[in-house]
């Protein structure tokens, strides 16, 4: 059996792009193919293997149910009550189709998925030969120039954030937090975060953070411990990079070998193609998976870009709440509109926000999860599905990204819901109160992620009788066990963190300067409700910065 991860082949076979036209792959900028679907080809019979979370999007794209096999069960009360046929993992889904046949994967499979499959199948797994890309040009950038570039990129951020906060008196303390943002010690912190002699990075969030340059296809960055330079590896036909030219090489591994003579090389296993990772091993490197460490390296420096996070959070609030007000008015007045009409209004409000507050930086959509519950209770990108009198909920969970000269400085992720049933409205008030008044004010340096999850579930359980009576929660379930399969929030930064979450088993400890989201997602029957706000742990208080 062949497992195909090539995006072009998936698009031709099933009629949609597996990264650009699904939800989670677009959010996960440092590893989109780790959550994208793949094709399983069993003697010419082709199935789409996809995470169950994407059910609503796959239905919208017209993917036949009989050709779909799901894995990684989505946490919803309907699945809790009715069960789910989703396999536990991609490896389980592959095993369910492949039996004892050899399993052939392409070299473009992310190395992280290759490791998962190899752990399950061992010698049954085979890598398809792939053409080596090249040539590439190696450039050298001085570390001091990277610091100078970031200083220029941040120019004007504090002043713009102060304008955004002028009408939010409960957040005025953030102005002082921004003024005392810590010094930029990105490279010193990286040296302490990774147990390796060098880091090879190609994921856009890390490329931007290592260079102060806009990420682009084919660009990789090499950081070497104790060096005064970082190195960029780019396709030979990319003539736009600054820095000193070191030389031209046949491939990325050859360029890396010209700088680093073996040793431990940290790589992004959730981004890097398997063919490149194995070629690096053949070149004498001990390849060290480090996606988690690099994610934390970004997130633990969030406070240096707090001004941009505040702008992104408030822009999201402005645009989502404005779009839902537009939807409410249309429903009240009997005006026809669709999910996409609501999303279009959201987009129109981005330049309006910039104009109102004098924001000189680019603000662009990061992701949008916007759907009615009568279409799907699974997370979904907006479609032409109409809103009608029968619409009980319209969930709008979305993020924006702020970029300066193409470098992402901050992203956001908040959720609001238009809820039209009395029981649903009461539940939405409960969830919003739990987040804003129960959880966020009590986040402190020393708070442990899994304990925050426990406390959030306990606060919801205080309203169990009301939620059950209104038909918005099944009776008799173990909410700690069932909701323990998903998070109630996560760290943020240059993207939503998929590796450090507020959930059981995550023992990460928050500190001053931590930035993240707290959320309650509540899909059940004919309701899909979400409440989510961004928070920042400051010196003297924790702020709900999207309120």
């Amino acid at each position: 059996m062949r497992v195909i991860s090539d995006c072009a082949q998936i698009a031709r076979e099933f009629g949609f792009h597996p990264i650009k036209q699904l939800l989670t792959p677009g959010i996960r900028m440092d590893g989109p193919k780790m959550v994208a679907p793949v094709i399983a080809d069993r003697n010419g019979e082709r199935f789409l293997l996809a995470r169950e979370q994407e059910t609503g999007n796959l239905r919208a794209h017209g993917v036949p149910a009989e050709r779909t096999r799901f894995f990684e069960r989505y946490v919803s009360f309907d699945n809790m009550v009715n069960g789910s046929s989703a396999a536990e993992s991609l490896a389980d889904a592959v095993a369910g189709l492949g039996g004892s046949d050899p399993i052939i994967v392409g070299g473009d499979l992310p190395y992280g998925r290759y490791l998962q499959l190899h752990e399950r199948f061992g010698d049954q797994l085979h890598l398809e030969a792939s053409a080596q890309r090249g040539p590439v040009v190696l450039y050298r950038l001085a570390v001091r120039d990277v610091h100078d570039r970031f200083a220029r990129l941040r120019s004007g951020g504090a002043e713009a954030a102060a304008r955004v906060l002028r009408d939010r008196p409960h957040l005025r303390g953030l102005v002082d937090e921004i003024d005392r943002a810590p010094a930029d010690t990105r490279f010193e912190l990286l040296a302490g975060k990774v147990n390796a002699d060098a880091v090879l990075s190609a994921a856009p969030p890390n490329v931007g953070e290592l260079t102060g340059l806009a990420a682009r296809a084919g660009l990789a960055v090499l950081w070497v411990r104790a060096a005064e330079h970082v190195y960029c590896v780019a396709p030979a036909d990319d003539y736009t990079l600054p820095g000193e030219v070191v030389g031209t090489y046949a491939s990325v591994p050859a360029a890396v070998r010209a700088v680093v003579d073996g040793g431990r090389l940290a790589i992004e296993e959730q981004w890097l193609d398997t063919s490149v990772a194995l070629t690096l091993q053949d070149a004498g490197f001990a390849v060290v998976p480090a996606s988690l460490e690099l994610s934390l390296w970004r997130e633990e420096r969030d406070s240096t870009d707090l001004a941009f996070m505040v702008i992104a959070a408030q822009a999201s609030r402005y645009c989502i709440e404005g779009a839902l007000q537009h939807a409410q008015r249309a429903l009240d007045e009997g005006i026809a509109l669709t999910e996409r009409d609501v999303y279009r209004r959201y987009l129109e409000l981005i330049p309006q926000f910039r104009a109102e507050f004098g924001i000189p930086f680019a603000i662009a959509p990061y992701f949008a999860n916007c759907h009615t519950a009568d279409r799907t209770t699974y997370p979904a990108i907006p479609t032409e599905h109409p809103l009608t009198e029968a619409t009980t909920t319209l969930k709008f969970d979305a993020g924006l990204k702020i970029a300066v000269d193409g470098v992402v400085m901050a992203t956001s992720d908040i959720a609001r819901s238009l809820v039209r049933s009395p029981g649903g409205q009461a539940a939405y008030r409960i969830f919003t109160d739990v987040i804003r008044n129960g959880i966020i004010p009590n986040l402190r340096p020393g708070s442990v992620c899994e304990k925050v999850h426990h406390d959030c579930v306990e606060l919801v359980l205080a309203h169990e009788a009301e939620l059950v009576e209104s038909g918005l929660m099944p009776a008799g379930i173990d909410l700690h066990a069932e909701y323990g399969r998903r998070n109630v929030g996560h760290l943020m930064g240059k993207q939503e963190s998929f590796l450090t979450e507020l959930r059981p088993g995550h023992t990460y400890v928050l500190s001053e300067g931590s930035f993240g989201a707290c959320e309650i997602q509540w899909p059940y029957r004919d309701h899909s409700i979400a409440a989510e706000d961004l928070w920042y742990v400051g010196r003297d208080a924790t702020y709900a910065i999207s309120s």
Side-chain angles (χ1 to χ4, degrees):
M1 187 175 77
R2 293 182 67 231
V3 175
I4 301 166
S5 52
D6 178 67
C7 291
Q9 286 198 55
I10 296 170
R12 286 194 300 269
E13 182 79 19
F14 289 97
F16 71 95
H17 194 283
I19 293 175
K20 297 176 183 177
Q21 292 179 284
L22 292 182
L23 183 63
T24 310
I27 301 174
R28 197 163 180 170
M29 294 188 289
D30 65 353
K33 292 182 76 172
M34 282 295 294
V35 288
V38 298
I39 294 173
D41 186 323
R42 185 177 63 186
N43 300 320
E45 188 181 17
R46 291 190 162 194
F47 300 91
L48 189 74
L49 308 187
R51 298 171 72 246
E52 192 180 37
Q53 186 178 29
E54 299 289 353
T55 297
N57 291 315
L58 297 182
R59 287 174 182 165
H61 291 310
V63 178
E66 65 272 14
R67 296 190 64 193
T68 307
R69 298 292 185 273
F70 288 113
F71 61 93
E72 291 183 18
R73 191 189 106 186
Y74 178 63
V75 179
S76 73
F77 291 119
D78 295 299
N79 279 340
M80 293 176 195
V81 172
N82 303 321
S84 166
S85 62
E88 191 68 24
S89 66
L90 172 62
D92 289 329
V94 171
L97 289 171
S100 59
D101 292 341
I103 297 165
I104 302 167
V105 299
D108 62 339
L109 187 75
Y111 188 52
R113 275 191 163 172
Y114 176 84
L115 293 174
Q116 293 169 358
L117 294 176
H118 191 270
E119 182 179 8
R120 175 66 179 271
F121 299 108
D123 292 340
Q124 191 182 344
L125 186 69
H126 302 274
L127 183 68
E128 200 169 40
S130 57
Q132 185 170 272
R133 299 173 192 157
V136 296
V137 177
L138 182 68
Y139 301 83
R140 191 168 72 170
L141 306 175
V143 165
R144 65 176 180 277
D145 291 341
V146 174
H147 283 297
D148 291 344
R149 188 175 294 113
F150 272 102
R152 293 193 299 272
L153 293 175
R154 292 193 182 103
S155 177
E159 293 81 3
R163 292 192 294 273
V164 168
L165 293 172
R166 67 191 177 202
D167 298 324
R168 319 305 288 178
H170 62 294
L171 299 178
R172 289 297 297 172
L174 287 168
V175 174
D176 294 333
E177 296 282 352
I178 291 168
D179 286 343
R180 57 174 175 252
D184 189 339
T185 56
R186 68 188 61 232
F187 295 112
E188 294 88 340
L189 290 172
L190 182 58
K193 185 60 67 177
V194 295
N195 181 20
D197 304 298
V199 174
L200 178 65
S201 167
N206 294 328
V207 167
E209 288 296 283
L210 286 166
T211 65
L213 301 173
R216 67 203 75 177
L219 176 61
V221 180
L222 179 66
W223 170 84
V224 181
R225 185 176 296 276
E228 295 182 357
H229 296 83
V230 292
Y231 297 84
C232 291
V233 187
D237 60 356
D238 183 346
Y239 303 102
T240 62
L241 285 174
E244 175 188 350
V245 174
V246 177
T248 301
Y249 300 89
S251 65
V252 170
V256 174
R257 199 72 171 81
V259 179
V260 185
D261 187 20
R264 292 174 60 83
L265 179 66
I267 56 105
E268 301 152 328
E269 77 281 3
Q270 300 200 351
W271 174 276
L272 193 67
D273 287 354
T274 296
S275 60
V276 178
L278 296 183
T279 302
L280 287 165
Q281 288 182 348
D282 292 341
F285 292 102
V287 171
V288 181
S291 287
L292 172 60
E293 289 79 6
L294 291 170
S295 177
L296 283 172
W297 169 69
R298 296 193 309 267
E299 292 148 8
E300 290 177 353
R301 296 181 296 103
D302 279 342
S303 55
T304 60
D305 290 318
L306 177 58
F308 296 94
M309 295 166 196
V310 167
I311 297 168
Q314 286 297 313
S316 281
R317 179 197 58 78
Y318 182 102
C319 296
I320 291 178
E321 291 180 358
L324 291 182
Q325 288 166 8
H326 170 75
Q328 182 66 68
R329 285 193 299 269
L331 287 168
D332 290 345
E333 297 170 12
I335 300 171
L337 83 164
T338 67
E339 293 170 349
R340 273 204 191 120
D341 290 329
V342 180
Y343 181 59
R344 276 189 280 269
R345 180 56 185 156
Y346 166 83
L347 296 178
E348 291 169 354
L349 288 167
I350 295 173
Q352 185 171 309
F353 174 86
R354 287 186 60 184
E356 183 171 334
F357 294 101
I359 306 300
F361 317 114
I363 302 179
Y366 169 30
F367 73 93
N369 171 10
C370 175
H371 63 91
T372 64
D374 56 293
R375 174 168 74 88
T376 182
T377 56
Y378 291 92
I381 57 180
T383 69
E384 294 296 341
H385 183 80
L387 278 67
T388 68
E389 281 300 313
T391 298
T392 54
T393 57
L394 172 64
K395 180 177 79 174
F396 206 137
D397 179 351
L400 297 169
K401 56 185 176 184
I402 296 184
V404 183
D405 295 341
V407 179
V408 175
M409 305 299 288
T411 58
S412 60
D413 174 13
I414 76 167
R416 303 287 188 265
S417 300
L418 191 164
V419 187
R420 305 182 72 228
S421 69
Q425 290 171 349
Y428 185 44
R429 286 193 294 270
I430 289 169
F431 303 149
T432 301
D433 180 68
V434 166
I435 287 170
R436 289 193 185 170
N437 299 317
I439 296 298
I440 291 178
N442 291 304
L443 296 177
R444 293 284 187 274
S447 295
V448 180
C449 287
E450 63 179 0
K451 179 63 164 58
V452 177
H453 185 285
H454 177 275
D455 293 346
C456 185
V457 172
E458 282 292 302
L459 289 169
V460 172
L461 281 173
H463 303 275
E464 180 177 10
E466 181 180 351
L467 291 168
V468 170
E469 184 178 354
S470 64
L472 283 164
M473 180 176 172
I477 66 165
D478 182 345
L479 191 63
H480 276 292
E482 293 293 348
Y483 216 78
R485 294 175 63 93
R486 66 151 298 132
N487 67 50
V488 297
H490 45 79
L491 297 188
M492 280 292 297
K494 302 306 185 284
Q495 70 162 45
E496 174 181 336
S497 177
F498 286 80
L499 300 175
T500 307
E501 301 176 317
L502 307 179
R503 69 182 304 165
H506 285 227
T507 57
Y508 183 79
V509 179
L510 303 184
S511 60
E512 182 182 331
S514 289
F515 169 54
C518 183
E519 63 183 305
I520 296 174
Q521 300 280 347
W522 205 265
Y524 186 44
R525 292 178 174 170
D526 60 346
H527 285 70
S528 186
I529 302 172
E532 181 175 18
D533 272 303
L534 291 165
W535 46 263
Y536 178 79
V537 179
R539 179 178 297 180
D540 303 316
T542 297
Y543 301 88
I545 69 172
S546 54
S547 65

